[in-house]
Amino acid sequence: MLRSIMMAYLATALATGAGAPLSAAPPRSDADEASAKAEAALRAMRPEEKLALTHSLMPLPIGPNPATPPPEAITGAGYVAGIPRLGIPALTETDASLGIGYVFGLRKDGATALPSGLAQGATWNPDMVRRGGATIGFEARAKGFNVLLGGGANLMRDPRNGRTFEYFSEDPLLTGILVGNAIQGIQSNNIISTIKHYALNGQETGRKFVNVKISDAAARESDLLAFQLGIEIGRPGAVMCAYNLVNDAPACASDYLLNTVLKRDWRYKGYVMSDWGAVTSLDAALKGLDHQSAAEYDPARFFEVDIAKAAKRDPRYARRLDDMNRRILWAIYANGLDKQRASRGAPIDFEAHGQLALEMAKQGIVLLRNRQNALPLARTAKSIVVIGGYADTGVLSGGGSTQVHGQDGPAALIPIGGDSGLTALSQQYHRSAPLAAIRKLAPAADVKFRDGRYVAPAVHAARSADVAIIFATKWSTEGIDQPDLTLPSGQDALIEAVAAANPNTIVVLETGNPVLMPWLDKTAAVIEAWYPGARGGEAIASVLFGETNPSGRLPVTFPAAVADLPRPELDGMNTLETNFVGSPPTPDAKLSANYDIEGSDIGYRWNARTGRKALFPFGFGLSYTSFSATGLSTDGRKASFTVKNIGKVAGATVAQLYLVNRGAEQKQRLVGFARVQLDAGESRMVDVSIDPRLLADWGQSGWSIPAGNFGFALGENAERLGPVVTVRLPARAWKD
């Protein structure tokens, strides 16, 4: 979510054509206290004070109509005036999931950039993700913020989505567990985290008016289940609703999403804030919206001026105004914002935080191909040529509201579409150069660099080197989807030519989404490094030279072709001009996305349903050692099995448990997973729980499991499964 005013400012320039045991948050001992304090504060509020918390402004000096923030506001995403008379603190908001935004360029300070959401998802490590959340939560407090706009939980229905890199996975269980743990980590710092973008925010093209069509059952069994798990585990203080429409209603004014699902069925106690520029009418208040973000960027100040008038004449709005305040107050008190105030200027241990970013990047790198054990590279290699990808400068990061700058700003910044100064929409590289890290780990080698702009010099250098390492990049950003899954700027042709010249060619991908690989069979090895964050260059070199045994597993399917997607043409991509804002080109413009095509069968589930095979399936990843997973035993509620390292070096694997059939019905679903670190020859018994919702269907009366035989199998990935173990389960029905 980049603020809507920033979108408007850049629109013209850019218009170019667990399963694993659910680590649920422990019950808050102060939950009842928070509710009591919220009620007491609400009773003490004067009528005019009830308007203080229900709207915010954006204290950034950008856009055609920037707000004039009060002196105490901090440059960031949003500012909500508190009520000093009642000891209610102001809310100071910042982006986002991968680190603190709006630094360096606007504030002249820095923050730690964690690897992208996909990289974090590829760790399959809830503890690591929780530690990452705690890190950025700490930095948020140290910079004076007490609300972090993180917690991205959208599933990857289309890998061409420009925001794919921000999110964790295509699977509701993996996403729900990881986002819940990220939120736990963030809120451990006495600040509020959001979970976003609620819900079914599957594309950036026409994002403010695309109308998602999906059945209640399909939504509850997929995208909404990811949010539900994340809320249960992380207990976020706030939910940020999305720009898009869902079944004809704006997500921020959807009675179904906000009142029926979130507040009634899930009994959510926190508040719903809008995305910036997503509110179109006062009616959103009755539909469940509690807070209008950056109200100056909407058509009117609905939750300040308009709601004050409405509350005087209509008791429905008066009741809603009270409930809005009650929910916001609960989030403040439940997370201790009144007790532990954010301390601007507190010291940050950037070295320690950088080490965590390094370890996260190492765990998230996925080894996709390793012909004849081309990797790890020997440190005694005599000659290496490194080609392309700004590998001499840094590692790529994604654009938009998740853009983070280190203490010295970006290593390289390439303006996109006339972006002059608003660096969140520039292609940027973090200051962690893979070339320098490779030279450090291969001190005896002659390591040359070619920038890859021209094929001939790269081929000439590759032909005379022992090893050629090509860095291939694909930039992604909020606000702009990708037309296909190819590598841009002729990089496919470059890789093809270099691989023809040197059979020992290794490709390092820095991408924000899956890509096609027409050159795959001609390469020796391929690793997916994603956007690896502040220490990504060192992480990549560590994997290349075997200092780190790769253990990442794909959290998203790499399709074999765009034609294999449920919607081979992304809705609106070829009919709308690129528009970062995502507003309709004309007031009556319509755009629809039919998610009932795949329903709840996203990614690997779609392939299983339709008999397709992926280029690389969900859960795939190679290692420098080998593992076995055997002895599966399950009663349908929990499962146990043994994982063994049967290779010669220590490493980590991710054991994956799938439901593969339900009676005669073929239905593949990830129902459990465990990341396991083992020494060579070591084995370990693993236990996982199975959430019954993963075995069930959603209907008008809630969840139901039919009586019958259920088949489960352990998998190296979604397409490589072991023997099926069948268990008979009784019928069961329940509500959330």
Side-chain angles (χ1 to χ4, degrees):
M1 165 211 55
L2 194 60
R3 309 293 76 87
S4 188
I5 190 59
M6 186 180 288
M7 304 168 196
Y9 182 80
L10 292 171
T12 302
L14 289 173
T16 59
L22 296 183
S23 50
R28 284 194 178 102
S29 59
D30 61 348
D32 292 338
E33 177 189 352
S35 295
K37 290 177 70 173
E39 289 296 340
L42 181 61
R43 288 194 301 270
M45 279 183 174
R46 298 165 180 162
E48 68 275 11
E49 289 174 333
K50 291 183 179 181
L51 304 174
L53 303 179
T54 57
H55 61 95
S56 69
L57 59 83
M58 187 179 182
L60 279 178
I62 58 175
N65 185 32
T68 302
E72 65 272 17
I74 304 172
T75 299
Y79 176 78
V80 182
I83 307 174
R85 184 182 72 86
L86 300 177
I88 299 170
L91 300 181
T92 50
E93 303 169 338
T94 185
D95 287 311
S97 302
L98 309 179
I100 309 309
Y102 307 110
V103 294
F104 202 77
L106 289 165
R107 296 181 49 191
K108 304 301 180 185
D109 63 355
T112 302
L114 297 182
S116 66
L118 268 181
Q120 295 184 43
T123 70
W124 293 59
N125 188 339
D127 179 66
M128 174 62 71
V129 172
R130 184 169 57 250
R131 290 166 57 200
T135 296
I136 60 174
F138 180 91
E139 293 193 7
R141 285 197 77 245
K143 295 177 183 297
F145 297 107
N146 58 15
V147 179
L148 186 64
L149 307 176
N154 294 102
L155 300 186
M156 299 163 189
R157 285 187 174 266
D158 195 305
R160 295 164 295 188
N161 181 357
R163 302 192 81 163
T164 295
F165 75 95
E166 294 185 32
Y167 303 129
F168 288 110
S169 85
E170 68 188 22
D171 181 76
L173 177 66
L174 181 57
T175 291
I177 290 176
L178 294 185
V179 76
N181 277 271
I183 292 165
Q184 274 191 38
I186 292 167
Q187 293 192 160
S188 68
N189 294 277
N190 295 112
I191 65 175
I192 291 171
S193 174
T194 67
I195 188 169
K196 66 182 185 182
H197 304 87
Y198 184 72
L200 297 147
N201 180 199
Q203 66 180 64
E204 294 295 275
T205 301
R207 61 179 177 173
K208 279 195 172 182
F209 69 105
V210 62
N211 186 15
V212 170
K213 300 292 188 177
I214 189 169
S215 71
D216 181 37
R220 300 262 196 168
E221 294 169 16
S222 56
D223 301 69
L224 295 185
L225 182 56
F227 276 90
Q228 186 176 11
L229 289 168
I231 289 170
E232 290 170 356
I233 296 168
R235 299 187 181 183
V239 170
M240 182 189 294
C241 51
Y243 287 124
N244 53 281
L245 283 66
V246 177
N247 294 327
D248 303 318
C252 285
S254 169
D255 186 67
Y256 162 72
L257 286 177
L258 305 185
N259 286 330
T260 300
V261 176
L262 182 66
K263 294 181 177 180
R264 187 196 72 183
D265 294 347
W266 298 351
R267 298 177 292 279
Y268 179 65
K269 297 184 70 172
Y271 69 103
V272 180
M273 67 164 69
S274 65
D275 205 337
W276 273 230
V279 185
T280 58
S281 72
L282 177 62
D283 184 59
L286 299 181
K287 299 300 174 60
L289 184 65
D290 301 304
H291 178 90
Q292 183 182 7
S293 304
E296 65 271 24
Y297 303 141
D298 290 323
R301 306 179 74 86
F302 300 114
F303 283 26
E304 180 187 12
V305 177
D306 292 4
I307 200 168
K309 298 175 182 177
K312 291 179 180 178
R313 68 174 186 269
D314 189 335
R316 296 179 303 161
Y317 283 100
R319 289 193 297 269
R320 268 267 58 218
L321 186 57
D322 279 354
D323 188 51
M324 291 175 187
N325 280 280
R326 181 182 295 111
R327 291 175 172 277
I328 298 168
L329 289 166
W330 181 88
I332 290 171
Y333 295 133
N335 289 288
L337 272 64
D338 59 321
K339 297 177 180 178
Q340 298 290 332
R341 301 296 178 100
S343 179
R344 189 175 185 181
I348 296 173
D349 188 343
F350 283 108
E351 176 58 31
H353 291 183
Q355 284 293 328
L356 182 134
L358 173 62
E359 181 59 29
M360 182 179 281
K362 289 178 179 179
Q363 291 192 16
I365 289 173
V366 183
L367 178 61
L368 296 176
R369 176 174 168 84
N370 197 17
R371 186 187 65 199
Q372 297 179 344
N373 296 319
L375 293 178
L377 295 173
R379 298 195 186 200
T380 56
K382 294 181 180 180
S383 60
I384 300 172
V385 59
V386 177
I387 300 168
Y390 285 79
D392 62 331
T393 303
V395 289
L396 188 60
S397 63
S401 59
T402 55
Q403 182 67 65
V404 182
H405 296 140
Q407 291 174 285
D408 298 316
L413 186 153
I414 305 167
I416 303 296
D419 176 6
S420 56
L422 291 179
T423 55
L425 290 179
S426 295
Q427 184 172 309
Q428 297 187 39
Y429 291 78
H430 294 306
R431 293 179 178 275
S432 180
L435 179 63
I438 288 169
R439 284 174 170 160
K440 183 177 181 180
L441 291 183
D446 176 19
V447 182
K448 294 184 171 64
F449 177 73
R450 298 292 183 269
D451 63 20
R453 292 178 60 208
Y454 297 98
V455 173
V459 168
H460 179 77
R463 189 173 289 123
S464 59
D466 293 333
V467 179
I469 307 174
I470 301 182
F471 284 76
T473 62
K474 188 173 188 180
W475 182 67
S476 300
T477 181
E478 172 189 354
I480 305 173
D481 290 325
Q482 300 180 355
D484 55 40
L485 297 177
T486 61
L487 290 170
S489 305
Q491 291 178 96
D492 285 324
L494 173 66
I495 295 171
E496 189 99 25
V498 170
N502 188 330
N504 199 19
T505 292
I506 296 157
V507 179
V508 178
L509 296 168
E510 295 176 28
T511 71
N513 64 343
V515 294
L516 302 177
M517 303 179 201
W519 35 260
L520 179 64
D521 290 341
K522 299 178 182 178
T523 61
V526 179
I527 68 171
E528 175 59 82
W530 317 106
Y531 300 152
R535 300 286 295 275
E538 295 100 308
I540 291 168
S542 183
V543 168
L544 289 174
F545 285 91
E547 182 182 74
T548 294
N549 189 346
S551 59
R553 300 293 184 266
L554 291 181
V556 60
T557 299
F558 278 47
V562 169
D564 289 342
L565 299 174
R567 284 164 296 282
E569 180 178 315
L570 191 147
D571 294 299
M573 172 60 70
N574 296 322
T575 57
L576 296 171
E577 289 189 347
T578 300
N579 180 351
F580 181 89
V581 181
S583 297
T586 60
D588 60 346
K590 305 293 183 184
L591 179 63
S592 181
N594 183 9
Y595 287 1
D596 277 326
I597 294 172
E598 72 275 26
S600 64
D601 292 327
I602 302 170
Y604 72 92
R605 295 186 185 184
W606 170 254
N607 281 2
R609 188 173 104 187
T610 59
R612 290 174 166 84
K613 295 296 182 182
L615 178 64
F616 291 105
F618 175 82
F620 182 88
L622 303 176
S623 170
Y624 298 151
T625 189
S626 300
F627 299 92
S628 67
T630 58
L632 173 62
S633 174
T634 180
D635 61 2
R637 295 173 297 176
K638 58 185 182 302
S640 61
F641 48 89
T642 299
V643 180
K644 184 175 182 178
N645 183 342
I646 57 176
K648 297 181 179 180
V649 296
T653 188
V654 177
Q656 303 160 41
L657 178 64
Y658 292 89
L659 171 72
V660 295
N661 61 65
R662 197 174 63 177
E665 179 186 17
Q666 299 299 309
K667 183 181 284 292
Q668 186 170 3
R669 293 177 178 175
L670 178 73
V671 297
F673 66 90
R675 180 185 171 90
V676 187
Q677 176 76 39
L678 297 169
D679 291 331
E682 183 183 4
S683 63
R684 187 175 305 160
M685 179 73 76
V686 175
D687 297 310
V688 299
S689 61
I690 299 173
D691 191 306
R693 288 169 291 195
L694 299 169
L695 312 181
D697 297 320
W698 177 267
Q700 290 183 344
S701 300
W703 296 103
S704 64
I705 297 176
N709 293 325
F710 288 68
F712 299 89
L714 295 171
E716 293 181 23
N717 56 67
E719 291 184 6
R720 189 174 179 85
L721 303 174
V724 176
V725 173
T726 300
V727 59
R728 184 163 185 83
L729 298 179
R732 180 184 172 190
W734 72 98
K735 291 184 179 291
D736 277 315

